[in-house]
Amino acid sequence: MLPSPCVLHTGRAPRVVGVLLLAATIGCAGGTTRTATTAGPQTPPIVVDTEHTPPAASGLPAGFEARFRIADQRARAITYWLQCVPTVARLRAGGTFGPAVSAPRAIYCERTIDGVPLAGVFDIDSSYRTVGRLQVVRLDGTRPRYTEPLDTARLAAGASLARDVTRALTPVWSRRNRPFSAVPIAGNGGALEVWAVPRANKARSYVTGGDVGYTRSAEGALALLEDRSTTWVQLNLAPDGPLTIYSSVRDVPAVADLVTARYHAELGRAVTVHTPAAVSTLEAGLDPATGSRLVWKHTARTP
């Protein structure tokens, strides 16, 4: 079971908006935000051409590893957000961002492109266009202030997208007793996305599948990236020992399944994700592309 972050949608409008962007710049200094005129470096796109890609010598389906990296890129960003939000809430309550009664209520969480974990709080106006009182700290070391500039327009756009996804899904998901977190991230190539990540509705449980992803169309409407809401399954979670996740997806696991895998692997559990195409295991190692201390090992399943 993942921890309950500050945005847990159960039918009521959230009081906190969590924003996780993969831009390299963010900013505040003593509560003052400097606004960048352009976005910082974005996540380089992972291009997948399954039509002309021959099957891998490993026996994995054509394009499997590239598509898995895209899904895991999303999962890693979402996992950090889920871990970061409760931490920021505690810091806010403890006075890191000023008196708790008057500190900004919206929560910001991201890793920079070079892996620095950042977290903070901010205000946003009712139109979700203007960010104010942004305060950000590094989550490594002694929580020093982070003073580099941030594209606040992009920050506001992520918060706006999360709000619209929440409004779209809450009525139906509440009737089904399916709480979720609407998590804004920078997707493949840096485009803003929001993923509705299902959460267990009882203790010592976890959910497989069920995730829904959105981006914003050129016309400003919600544009669906993926809808696995029909695959939602809640399972019992053993208190310890290896965790095996059986994904409902045919080849590359659902984003929600990889989020669960990463979260529990970072707590020290041995985690394996199964699909009909492959068995994927998170192992200790160093991913040079992300700096992650966990790497995936894939084994093709025999027909």
Side-chain angles (χ1 to χ4, degrees):
M1 181 180 181
L2 300 179
S4 297
C6 293
V7 183
L8 180 59
H9 301 293
T10 56
R12 296 185 297 275
R15 297 185 64 190
V16 176
V17 178
V19 176
L20 190 156
L21 304 178
L22 220 56
T25 56
I26 224 171
C28 72
T32 301
T33 303
R34 290 186 287 158
T35 303
T37 56
T38 58
Q42 303 298 331
T43 306
I46 300 171
V47 180
V48 181
D49 181 1
T50 57
E51 182 178 352
H52 301 99
T53 303
S58 61
L60 296 169
F64 174 89
E65 293 188 359
R67 286 182 289 118
F68 192 102
R69 284 198 301 274
I70 293 173
D72 187 54
Q73 174 183 297
R74 289 167 168 150
R76 186 168 180 260
I78 293 168
T79 301
Y80 175 71
W81 189 92
L82 293 171
Q83 295 166 332
C84 169
V85 167
T87 299
V88 176
R90 289 192 295 270
L91 292 174
R92 184 186 180 281
T96 297
F97 307 111
V101 68
S102 59
R105 305 194 70 85
I107 288 182
Y108 178 92
C109 290
E110 77 154 356
R111 291 183 195 271
T112 66
I113 204 166
D114 54 353
V116 177
L118 305 177
V121 295
F122 64 97
D123 289 328
I124 192 161
D125 70 327
S126 59
S127 68
Y128 278 67
R129 294 179 180 176
T130 303
V131 169
R133 294 204 299 163
L134 176 63
Q135 300 181 60
V136 178
V137 298
R138 295 174 59 134
L139 288 187
D140 54 354
T142 58
R143 309 293 195 251
R145 292 285 175 141
Y146 193 78
T147 57
E148 296 301 315
L150 166 70
D151 183 349
T152 53
R154 186 175 174 83
L155 174 56
S160 174
L161 183 57
R163 174 201 58 182
D164 290 352
V165 169
T166 298
R167 287 177 174 175
L169 297 183
T170 292
V172 173
W173 287 41
S174 293
R175 287 196 299 270
R176 296 175 178 173
N177 191 24
R178 293 184 182 178
F180 68 99
S181 295
V183 184
I185 65 170
N188 185 38
L192 283 172
E193 301 177 357
V194 165
W195 285 80
V197 182
R199 307 185 64 80
N201 57 32
K202 64 178 182 179
R204 294 186 179 179
S205 302
Y206 68 98
V207 175
T208 63
D211 51 307
V212 181
Y214 289 92
T215 188
R216 187 80 78 183
S217 72
E219 295 75 29
L222 292 180
L224 189 65
L225 293 169
E226 199 76 60
D227 184 355
R228 300 189 185 94
S229 56
T230 60
T231 66
W232 186 99
V233 177
Q234 185 164 257
L235 301 167
N236 293 330
L237 177 65
D240 52 31
L243 175 61
T244 301
I245 300 168
Y246 294 94
S247 180
S248 63
V249 184
R250 184 178 62 83
D251 48 10
V252 175
V255 171
D257 299 334
L258 297 180
V259 169
T260 300
R262 276 201 168 273
Y263 180 84
H264 288 287
E266 290 178 12
L267 291 177
R269 295 182 79 147
V271 179
T272 304
V273 182
H274 290 242
T275 69
V279 176
S280 302
T281 305
L282 266 177
E283 299 181 345
L286 177 63
D287 182 346
T290 64
S292 173
R293 297 291 178 177
L294 294 169
V295 293
W296 287 100
K297 179 181 178 182
H298 307 293
T299 304
R301 302 190 70 159
T302 55

